[in-house]
Amino acid sequence: HTCSTEGYYSGTLTCDSSCNFNTGSCWGYCGDGTKNGTEQCDGSDFGTLDCTDYAAPAGGSGNYYFGSMTCDGSCNASSAGCWGYCGDGTTNGTAGEQCDDGGIVPGDGCNASCQLENNIIEDFESLSSWPWSPWTCTANGTVSTSAAHDGSRGIIDPDWCRMYAPAVTFGNSAGQVLSMWVRPGLRAYIGFNANTAGARSFVVAPNTTTLIFQLNSGYTGYTDVASVSQSISGTTWYYVEVQYNGGGSYTGRLYASDGTTLINSLTHNFGSTSTAYGIAIRTFGTGYIDTISM
């Protein structure tokens, strides 16, 4: 027999004058109020462990911010008394959150770390008649609740809807990122360097299983200038972004529906900078677009 067999963690088991075990030199057991050995806790003693060491529940990100843990009779700690995490729908400013929309999918103005994202250029939530100022379109498409990725509305099959500078300026500063959510149908275009003469675009093309950079002259003609093979579903939401790298170089990226898993990317240098800083959008084949940000 040892102290361990008598329910203690350590010490020396002795024999008294009546030939009975003497545990007086044994120490440490679950319930003595002191966290010992492999215990996560003991009574109110949690050591350095607190709620911030516990991951947020499903649907949240990071760890809990606040609260008090509990300790059960087996000296195991529980996060049942913890609260506050990114994704709980409450902006916890004291924890450093800038926003909390109740989810952790990026691209809707609040990212997976509950920090504000790039400015939303268009979310299609207006109840005005589309296209509203400062948009202009070759063919309008339809703003509809059925095309919403987040919020209440998105747009179906806009045909080269454009917003020109100075209402928006993209492509004049290295590091700028233009993004949107797309369910591409047959094809979805995120256009940039747009003016009345045309645009450059990053194309998500399920119908040809490719990602493409194009020149779109006059919004009637097109020239493919770079492409990469990629299997794409026309009925799945993707997060798409274009980054201006400077010096006429752009990188297009396609992310999965979680908004963070990179599927593929394509970089192309158009060979010259542009002084046209507008943006443009297009889909066909029942494609949806929502939440354009920069």
Side-chain angles (χ1 to χ4, degrees):
H1 287 261
T2 65
C3 286
S4 295
T5 62
E6 299 304 307
Y8 293 87
Y9 297 135
S10 189
T12 302
L13 185 66
T14 61
C15 186
D16 65 18
S17 59
S18 300
C19 293
N20 294 313
F21 292 128
N22 181 358
T23 58
S25 296
C26 297
W27 59 272
Y29 59 91
C30 179
D32 66 359
T34 300
K35 181 180 178 297
N36 294 298
T38 60
E39 294 177 347
Q40 294 180 346
C41 56
D42 198 319
S44 61
D45 185 357
F46 292 88
T48 60
L49 195 67
D50 63 23
C51 283
T52 62
D53 295 306
Y54 282 82
S61 69
N63 292 357
Y64 284 101
Y65 301 137
F66 316 111
S68 299
M69 297 188 303
T70 58
C71 190
D72 67 18
S74 298
C75 291
N76 294 312
S78 168
S79 61
C82 299
W83 58 277
Y85 56 88
C86 178
D88 65 1
T90 299
T91 301
N92 295 294
T94 57
E97 290 186 352
Q98 296 177 342
C99 57
D100 195 322
D101 58 4
I104 56 173
V105 177
D108 57 4
C110 188
N111 69 17
S113 299
C114 287
Q115 302 298 300
L116 291 170
E117 294 183 302
N118 299 333
N119 293 329
I120 294 178
I121 297 171
E122 182 59 69
D123 58 11
F124 302 102
E125 296 301 305
S126 174
L127 297 179
S128 301
S129 178
W130 173 262
W132 43 77
S133 179
W135 289 96
T136 182
C137 300
T138 299
N140 296 343
T142 304
V143 173
S144 171
T145 56
S146 65
H149 171 268
D150 47 89
S152 301
R153 297 172 180 81
I155 191 168
I156 305 172
D157 286 347
D159 188 2
W160 288 126
C161 291
R162 289 97 68 189
M163 182 187 295
Y164 299 135
V168 64
T169 52
F170 173 75
N172 64 331
S173 179
Q176 286 180 312
V177 176
L178 176 66
S179 66
M180 65 182 183
W181 283 98
V182 303
R183 201 181 93 162
L186 292 178
R187 282 198 175 192
Y189 300 69
I190 179 169
F192 51 95
N193 294 150
N195 61 14
T196 56
R200 298 165 173 173
S201 64
F202 180 56
V203 187
V204 179
N207 62 340
T208 55
T209 62
T210 47
L211 299 175
I212 309 167
F213 272 118
Q214 282 188 351
L215 297 173
N216 304 101
S217 178
Y219 303 105
T220 55
Y222 69 91
T223 302
D224 293 347
V225 294
S227 65
V228 63
S229 295
Q230 179 59 55
S231 177
I232 307 160
S233 168
T235 56
T236 297
W237 281 103
Y238 299 95
Y239 185 59
V240 182
E241 66 179 23
V242 174
Q243 178 176 318
Y244 177 49
N245 305 315
S249 173
Y250 292 82
T251 297
R253 299 184 182 93
L254 179 72
Y255 293 88
S257 57
D258 62 5
T260 58
T261 301
L262 180 64
I263 296 174
N264 210 340
S265 65
L266 179 65
T267 297
H268 178 68
N269 195 318
F270 286 84
S272 63
T273 58
S274 173
T275 57
Y277 302 133
I279 64 170
I281 57 172
R282 182 190 188 210
T283 65
F284 63 83
T286 316
Y288 300 166
I289 291 175
D290 199 5
T291 314
I292 305 168
S293 302
M294 191 181 82

